[in-house]
Amino acid sequence: MKLSEFKFDLPESLLAQHPAKTRDESRLMVLHRDSGKIEHRVFKEIIEYFNDGDVFVVNDTQVFPARLYGNKEKTGAKIEVFLLRELNKEIHLWDVLVDPARKIRVGNKLYFGESDMVAEVIDNTTSRGRTIKFLFDGSDEEFYKALNDLGETPLPREVITRDAEPADKERYQTIYAKNKGAVAAPSAGLHFTREVIKRLEIRGVDMVPVTLHVGLGTFRPVDVEDLTKHKMDSENFIVPADSAKVVNRALDAKKRVCAVGTTTMRALESSVSAHARLKENQGWTDKFIFPPHEFKIANSLLTNFHMPESTLMMMASAFAGHELLIEAYQLAIKEKYKFFTYGDAMLIL
């Protein structure tokens, strides 16, 4: 398929700037692939589509406050530092993006607020990318606490144009987030509340975790018309043995296995055994899923409404079928569903 087949006009007013007042009060569009039927529901009604023995697979990655503001030594120029990934824990070496990049050269030192946190630029990686080393004398615990205190919730600025607010620290995080390492939230999971999870549990539905640390590559635009030429950024993931066991039991019993989000789906599709079952696995994946694609593990997908020409929309299209997804998106615009991270949800069955 071509990039242009994923283009559509999205009114700016439908880009959610804030989450719904209550997580599970988001709207939920339900797509039935077998009949083409489309339903309009509220997220907390999702439990009606799942029964005893079905499984939700969730991404339990935790977003860390990745956006820091510092000042350059001597000039005092204000610099934004966006933490991407920790390269070496012992010497506090990080992969980052800096803005404005033209002011930051190898050897420069950056100072952060009134704290004792200082970083030195070690290397250039890309036009905006740098490798920096934090010069910090305290314990690991003190270092991460300092980063946590200094950092801001990394809302995707390209779409959410307001400043981060205190409430975002909690709302830009799933309630089951556990393993710190993401710079963007796995947004499909943001709709779950403890009450919804409890009601699914009572119904006999299992919820098992995988971990995929979402990177900024999730939002990287596709700039080639031929999708086979697009390269995804690698993201670190873990599929635990216990989760694989529960998922495989459900598949053997012909039950529903729902991937909560495109990040979860990437981890699952990167961990398929020779017998088309889920295997325990960990490592890095740069798997790019676009139509046509034969999904091996999940037979339902919970996702949000995505941006035009995004890799997330392409995966949803591969799962739903392109014509049905385009029809659903046109209907979503007409019915004023909210799009992107803090937007509404879509369940594809």
Side-chain angles (χ1 to χ4, degrees):
M1 291 193 78
K2 303 293 183 192
L3 176 64
S4 49
E5 294 178 72
F6 295 89
K7 190 168 187 159
F8 64 93
D9 292 323
L10 178 59
E12 216 169 287
S13 61
L14 298 185
L15 292 173
Q17 297 297 310
H18 289 88
K21 278 187 181 157
T22 309
R23 289 176 187 264
D24 60 11
E25 292 287 341
S26 301
R27 295 168 76 186
L28 176 70
M29 181 185 282
V30 183
L31 269 60
H32 296 265
R33 292 182 293 173
D34 55 353
S35 64
K37 181 182 171 187
I38 297 175
E39 297 179 88
H40 303 286
R41 308 295 295 264
V42 176
F43 186 79
K44 61 187 176 186
E45 296 169 345
I46 195 170
I47 61 167
E48 295 174 24
Y49 297 91
F50 293 87
N51 294 298
D52 185 34
D54 291 339
V55 179
F56 277 96
V57 188
V58 300
N59 183 2
D60 69 0
T61 187
Q62 189 177 58
V63 181
F64 61 91
R67 186 173 276 124
L68 308 178
Y69 296 98
N71 296 92
K72 191 178 164 188
E73 65 174 337
K74 294 177 184 168
T75 66
K78 190 176 180 183
I79 305 295
E80 179 184 305
V81 176
F82 194 100
L83 304 174
L84 291 177
R85 63 183 67 85
E86 191 172 34
L87 300 174
N88 186 312
K89 190 171 181 173
E90 287 174 20
I91 59 172
H92 304 311
L93 204 64
W94 284 75
D95 227 349
V96 304
L97 295 176
V98 293
D99 192 30
R102 67 183 185 280
K103 293 186 176 179
I104 300 299
R105 295 185 172 85
V106 172
N108 287 160
K109 283 196 173 73
L110 303 172
Y111 294 82
F112 297 92
E114 301 301 312
S115 71
D116 297 330
M117 190 73 84
V118 180
E120 183 178 356
V121 181
I122 303 295
D123 197 8
N124 297 324
T125 53
T126 61
S127 57
R128 284 180 58 214
R130 302 289 185 272
T131 301
I132 66 171
K133 178 181 178 181
F134 286 100
L135 311 173
F136 189 82
D137 289 333
S139 66
D140 280 355
E141 195 179 333
E142 288 167 330
F143 172 72
Y144 292 117
K145 186 185 183 307
L147 275 192
N148 205 57
D149 293 344
L150 286 167
E152 179 183 284
T153 305
L155 298 179
R157 280 218 180 114
E158 300 76 16
V159 178
I160 299 178
T161 52
R162 62 176 175 82
D163 289 338
E165 298 164 6
D168 291 309
K169 261 202 186 330
E170 185 247 334
R171 290 304 301 271
Y172 195 63
Q173 199 82 267
T174 62
I175 63 165
Y176 45 74
K178 185 178 165 189
N179 293 312
K180 195 171 281 192
V183 299
S187 55
L190 296 177
H191 307 284
F192 282 96
T193 58
R194 283 183 174 78
E195 186 190 2
V196 167
I197 290 173
K198 188 70 187 166
R199 289 172 72 195
L200 285 166
E201 202 179 286
I202 291 166
R203 217 171 167 99
V205 178
D206 287 307
M207 190 168 270
V208 298
V210 297
T211 305
L212 184 136
H213 294 312
V214 191
L216 277 187
T218 292
F219 306 122
R220 193 183 300 285
V222 178
D223 53 14
V224 286
E225 178 68 3
D226 179 356
L227 298 184
T228 61
K229 292 185 165 56
H230 177 68
K231 183 85 170 73
M232 290 288 282
D233 286 12
S234 287
E235 293 170 315
N236 191 231
F237 76 98
I238 302 167
V239 175
D242 288 349
S243 296
K245 196 171 162 185
V246 172
V247 166
N248 292 335
R249 189 172 63 217
L251 290 176
D252 291 342
K254 299 194 166 20
K255 298 291 184 178
R256 268 195 178 139
V257 174
C258 182
V260 177
T262 56
T263 59
T264 297
M265 187 69 90
R266 280 185 84 202
L268 296 179
E269 289 294 297
S270 301
S271 309
V272 181
S273 75
H275 305 293
R277 289 294 179 263
L278 186 61
K279 64 181 181 184
E280 178 187 6
N281 197 11
Q282 66 176 351
W284 294 81
T285 179
D286 61 357
K287 196 169 190 65
F288 176 30
I289 298 173
F290 60 94
H293 179 84
E294 186 188 340
F295 291 85
K296 300 287 200 306
I297 305 296
N299 47 38
S300 55
L301 171 65
L302 178 68
T303 189
N304 275 23
F305 290 90
H306 303 297
M307 299 297 285
E309 299 182 316
S310 65
T311 59
L312 309 179
M313 181 191 177
M314 290 164 192
M315 186 192 290
S317 159
F319 193 82
H322 192 64
E323 284 182 19
L324 180 58
L325 189 86
I326 295 298
E327 181 191 341
Y329 270 45
Q330 287 168 346
L331 185 58
I333 291 167
K334 185 183 167 192
E335 296 292 331
K336 295 187 165 40
Y337 276 75
K338 292 290 188 181
F339 280 66
F340 206 57
T341 300
Y342 275 154
D344 294 311
M346 172 187 279
L347 176 63
I348 308 171
L349 298 171

